[in-house]
Amino acid sequence: MKRAAMWLCTLNRGLLTHGRGLSQRSQYTKNHGPLHISEACSAIHVNHVRDKLREIVGISTNWRDHVKAMEERKLLHNLLAKSQKALPPRKMKDSFIEVLLPLGTDPELRDKYLTVQNTVSRFGRILEDLDSLGVLVCYMHNRNHSAMMSPLSIVTALVDKIDMCKQSLSPEQDIKFTGHVSWVGKTSMEVKMKMFQLQNNKDYWPVLDATFVMVARDSENKGPAFVNPLIPETAEEEELFRQGELNKRRRIAFSSASLLKMAPSPEERNTIHEMFLNTLDPKTISFQSRILPPKAVWMEDTKLKSLDICHPQERNIFNRIFGGFLMRKAYELAWATACSFGGSRPFVVTVDDIMFQKPVEVGSLLFLSSQVCFTQDNYIQVRVHSEVASLESNEHMTTNVFHFTFMSEKEVPLVFPKTYGESMLYLDGHRHFKSMSVPVTLKKDYPVEP
């Protein structure tokens, strides 16, 4: 276990020695400029991220030893802080990490990210990498050099937003991820991550922005735990921290106005009523006789479903199913749904509001149900509902709801709800579509596929 502590010290020293400081590094991301190779050293290989996480947590790599390893973590409980004031404050640069995905120089690794067209990177794999990076960033923020293992169990609570800055993802150019903690509460942390791709063997240009929310739990992952406070150093970092506070308030407001809690607004009710009137059969004018307008599809005809068995291979460092795996499977089903609906290869524009409601145990049956819930012009809003059932019980429990915004190569049909439940799904999809940062028109080089 000494290797974990040594690695934490070495990695942190490397970031501070070779880095130029978060303020200078993040200025290019603010302006969407390039990341020069000379400014992007000291990166760790993407394959090492989950290995480092296992070292920090002290979890065995063998499934047969997982019970013993979790028992050993109980001994770390007395290392947890009794209050946040007992923990030293940290700076944003303390958690800054760079991770290299060498697609251009590692053909074997490249195959893992390629589609059947042998052209572009699989976005579902990128989601897995982002999830692992977010957890590692948080462990760096809360590192304790005096402890061989971290007493914290850090898990993904929410994917707040993932925005694509560029459509092109070449399979033959290296990719670099960067991430750091941007906001801290008492037991939760917001992580900002960016993805860049090498162009002309000189500069890394931005292709993705992501915001994740992680939470700290105790050593057994049974209750909340305090995290180190965060002190912004510059005006830019103060703005990032302020934005984190605003993001928290926005999420609370969005949740409070959920259609599962409150009735639709007057404007939304009018929208649904107009759609209902547009589907009345003019020959019968009956509440039950419905017809589709031109270039429209019933929502109920846009569904796809899948089933997976959750094997130990897909477990995280706490022996639950890896959140990145769940996101990848949901994205692949959503992409297939958008592709089938739109009649062309779509590319992802935004991923938002993925709430991890319940952990998924190893051995569970994972049921995914995907549906187009809103469309506009070339945009397709897809919702994926995830639920699990144990092999011993038929009881199903919702674990996640995923929201993906795709853009098709051509204009897509409108979707019309038939039932009240579908009408609520339509309005919810519209809300998520409107929450997209900005409507985008991305340069078309390579569509991003699953």
Side-chain angles (χ1 to χ4, degrees):
M1 297 308 174
K2 291 182 179 179
R3 289 186 303 166
M6 291 175 61
W7 174 80
L8 284 170
C9 297
T10 302
L11 179 56
N12 185 54
R13 284 198 301 268
L15 291 173
L16 294 180
T17 302
H18 297 291
R20 298 190 176 186
L22 179 62
S23 179
Q24 289 176 311
R25 284 172 175 266
S26 58
Q27 188 60 46
Y28 59 77
T29 61
K30 183 178 180 181
N31 299 327
H32 295 286
L35 173 65
H36 297 284
I37 291 178
S38 60
E39 296 174 332
C41 53
S42 195
I44 62 175
H45 194 286
V46 67
N47 286 346
H48 297 159
V49 172
R50 292 183 73 178
D51 293 337
K52 299 305 179 185
L53 286 172
R54 288 190 178 95
E55 290 180 9
I56 295 169
V57 177
I59 294 299
S60 172
T61 57
N62 299 317
W63 171 247
R64 64 178 180 272
D65 299 330
H66 75 280
V67 175
K68 178 181 177 181
M70 293 304 295
E71 286 292 326
E72 291 177 351
R73 282 193 57 79
K74 291 182 180 180
L75 303 176
L76 301 174
H77 201 275
N78 61 344
L79 297 178
L80 294 170
K82 300 299 186 293
S83 68
Q84 191 176 42
K85 293 181 180 180
L87 295 169
R90 296 289 158 75
K91 303 173 183 178
M92 291 190 188
K93 66 182 180 183
D94 293 335
S95 61
F96 185 87
I97 297 178
E98 292 177 342
V99 173
L100 179 65
L101 175 58
L103 297 180
T105 54
D106 191 338
E108 184 177 349
L109 180 65
R110 186 189 309 154
D111 285 346
K112 182 181 176 181
Y113 289 80
L114 288 180
T115 65
V116 294
Q117 285 74 30
N118 194 38
T119 53
V120 299
S121 301
R122 294 172 58 183
F123 186 72
R125 295 290 188 188
I126 300 296
L127 291 176
E128 290 184 319
D129 295 335
L130 289 171
D131 191 49
S132 296
L133 174 59
V135 175
L136 182 57
V137 163
C138 290
Y139 274 117
M140 287 301 302
H141 173 81
N142 294 281
R143 69 194 181 283
N144 182 354
H145 295 305
S146 63
M148 293 183 180
M149 295 185 297
S150 173
L152 296 178
S153 301
I154 296 176
V155 296
T156 306
L158 172 71
V159 178
D160 184 74
K161 182 77 74 173
I162 301 176
D163 290 322
M164 293 296 295
C165 309
K166 188 179 180 184
Q167 183 184 349
S168 172
L169 284 180
S170 169
E172 298 179 352
Q173 296 293 328
D174 289 356
I175 284 176
K176 191 178 292 291
F177 300 93
T178 67
H180 67 89
V181 172
S182 57
W183 174 86
V184 165
K186 289 186 177 181
T187 62
S188 60
M189 296 155 284
E190 181 184 271
V191 178
K192 292 287 188 184
M193 292 176 284
K194 295 181 181 292
M195 186 174 78
F196 305 83
Q197 184 153 52
L198 187 64
Q199 290 191 1
N200 303 321
N201 295 318
K202 180 181 179 183
D203 298 330
Y204 281 92
W205 285 86
V207 294
L208 176 149
D209 289 303
T211 303
F212 280 43
V213 177
M214 324 298 287
V215 294
R217 311 276 290 171
D218 61 29
S219 55
E220 299 179 73
N221 195 13
K222 292 183 177 180
F226 294 107
V227 298
N228 293 72
L230 180 66
I231 298 180
E233 290 187 288
T234 66
E236 181 185 353
E237 292 181 3
E238 288 177 357
E239 175 59 25
L240 283 175
F241 195 91
R242 187 185 72 85
Q243 186 60 51
E245 288 283 356
L246 294 176
N247 289 341
K248 178 183 177 180
R249 296 173 190 172
R250 170 180 53 79
R251 289 190 291 266
I252 293 174
F254 195 86
S255 176
S256 300
S258 169
L259 292 167
L260 294 173
K261 300 177 182 178
M262 296 182 62
S265 67
E267 181 182 358
E268 290 175 328
R269 291 197 293 269
N270 288 336
T271 297
I272 293 301
H273 189 65
E274 289 176 5
M275 296 183 74
F276 170 75
L277 294 178
N278 287 335
T279 62
L280 290 180
D281 188 342
K283 297 180 180 179
T284 60
I285 311 297
S286 167
F287 284 109
Q288 295 184 346
S289 181
R290 310 278 295 279
I291 61 173
L292 274 172
K295 298 181 180 180
V297 176
W298 292 120
M299 280 182 63
E300 65 182 9
D301 296 329
T302 67
K303 296 180 180 179
L304 286 181
K305 294 184 178 182
S306 70
L307 168 65
D308 281 280
I309 302 174
C310 298
H311 296 290
Q313 180 185 5
E314 307 301 342
R315 73 189 188 279
N316 62 16
I317 55 178
F318 302 110
N319 296 303
R320 302 280 179 72
I321 293 302
F322 176 42
F325 169 78
L326 300 176
M327 286 194 286
R328 175 166 64 87
K329 301 302 292 187
Y331 171 79
E332 290 174 353
L333 183 63
W335 184 91
T337 302
C339 182
S340 176
F341 175 81
S344 63
R345 296 188 179 278
F347 57 91
V348 66
V349 174
T350 299
V351 182
D352 80 314
D353 195 28
I354 299 176
M355 180 73 73
F356 289 82
Q357 300 177 20
K358 292 182 181 295
V360 177
E361 302 291 342
V362 172
S364 300
L365 298 177
L366 176 66
F367 297 87
L368 296 177
S369 178
S370 179
Q371 184 174 24
V372 176
C373 54
F374 177 79
T375 61
Q376 179 176 303
D377 302 325
N378 291 45
Y379 292 99
I380 306 172
Q381 189 71 35
V382 181
R383 179 183 186 271
V384 181
H385 179 262
S386 168
E387 58 184 33
V388 295
S390 68
L391 294 176
E392 295 79 20
S393 170
N394 288 325
E395 182 182 3
H396 288 224
M397 295 186 301
T398 297
T399 61
N400 306 83
V401 177
F402 305 84
H403 302 274
F404 302 96
T405 306
F406 293 93
M407 195 171 187
S408 180
E409 296 176 344
K410 56 186 180 181
E411 189 170 343
V412 298
L414 297 174
V415 289
F416 275 76
K418 272 188 177 180
T419 66
Y420 185 81
E422 288 182 346
S423 298
M424 296 304 99
L425 288 178
Y426 179 91
L427 293 178
D428 186 58
H430 189 206
R431 288 181 179 185
H432 283 282
F433 178 76
K434 289 194 300 182
S435 72
M436 188 168 54
S437 298
V438 287
V440 293
T441 303
L442 302 179
K443 181 180 178 182
K444 183 177 181 298
D445 294 314
Y446 305 96
V448 182
E449 301 181 6

